Amino acid sequence: MTDLVRVLLADDEHLIRGALAALLALEDDLTVVAEAASGPEALAMAAAHRPDVAVLDLQMPGLDGLEVAAELRHRLPECRVMIVTGHGRPGYLKRALEVGVRGFLPKTVSASDLAGIIRTVRAGGRYVDPELAAEAISAGDSPLTPRETDVLELAANGSSIAEIADRAALSPGTVRNYLSSAAGKLGAENRHAAVRIAREHGWL
């Protein structure tokens, strides 16, 4: 008998998560050992159940799928990670590959295809949705430096210059310079527009 592939499902939308679990349960060689509705819960469930494959939603409360993937790479390196997303922005794919994600696919994927991709990933393969890959190639890399990205990410939460400076351990003047530089590179009239543009490209 083939060994069962132990799967963790993490998605904050209960209906989607439940439907996926029910569909995967129909596969003879797959078993859903745990479900999670948030990033921190996904990490806790992974530690408790040690799945072979973690299927993570990109957007989750607490920690997003990429942050969970990065943590799992250190805490549970034998667990393969897949990202399923309704937000196929190009920058996300690049970041996913950087943190060791083995599968990256849209939520529109069929249950049978998902099951097949889980098997591929478990066996050491990789799967990236062709359309998402094409979008990532055409969009190119982020023009922002890592520090500009960090500061813009802090600005995305609506923090003031002083708050950003405090959290980034920078002077207010340096924060303004980074935000101005980021806005200029993105062709944005202000930091709020810069955040929107960067997010649309998946660079934040």
Side-chain angles (χ1 to χ4, degrees):
M1 177 181 165
T2 311
D3 286 341
L4 282 174
V5 180
R6 296 162 52 79
V7 180
L8 162 67
L9 288 179
D11 193 310
D12 62 332
E13 295 184 57
H14 181 74
L15 191 62
I16 290 175
R17 194 175 72 246
L20 277 179
L23 290 166
L24 292 178
L26 300 175
E27 303 288 333
D28 292 339
D29 59 338
L30 305 179
T31 179
V32 176
V33 294
E35 297 180 39
S38 70
E41 190 182 358
L43 287 176
M45 289 290 133
H49 296 276
R50 308 188 76 79
D52 299 310
V53 178
V55 180
L56 310 174
D57 185 20
L58 180 62
Q59 304 284 5
M60 290 188 292
L63 297 167
D64 67 24
L66 297 179
E67 290 169 320
V68 174
E71 282 294 317
L72 287 177
R73 188 180 194 180
H74 297 295
R75 298 189 196 182
L76 205 65
E78 66 273 19
C79 176
R80 315 275 187 185
V81 177
M82 294 168 50
I83 296 284
V84 183
T85 177
H87 308 270
R89 292 170 185 161
Y92 291 135
L93 172 57
K94 183 171 184 290
R95 286 164 58 197
L97 296 177
E98 285 170 356
V99 297
V101 168
R102 308 290 302 184
F104 195 86
L105 50 152
K107 283 190 173 179
T108 51
V109 70
S110 71
S112 60
D113 284 348
L114 177 62
I117 294 163
I118 289 173
R119 294 183 188 103
T120 297
V121 166
R122 174 68 183 95
R126 190 191 296 277
Y127 178 86
V128 174
D129 177 75
E131 283 189 29
L132 296 180
E135 285 175 19
I137 291 166
S138 65
D141 293 335
S142 171
L144 305 176
T145 66
R147 206 60 169 134
E148 287 166 352
T149 302
D150 290 343
V151 170
L152 202 58
E153 187 91 60
L154 291 171
N157 301 324
S159 301
S160 67
I161 296 289
E163 288 168 335
I164 296 169
D166 186 51
R167 291 175 65 186
L170 298 168
S171 73
T174 301
V175 168
R176 286 193 187 89
N177 289 341
Y178 278 131
L179 289 174
S180 174
S181 174
K185 287 179 179 178
L186 297 174
E189 63 272 19
N190 55 45
R191 60 176 159 152
H192 305 294
V195 166
R196 177 178 51 75
I197 292 167
R199 278 184 167 163
E200 284 172 357
H201 285 84
W203 295 331
L204 277 189

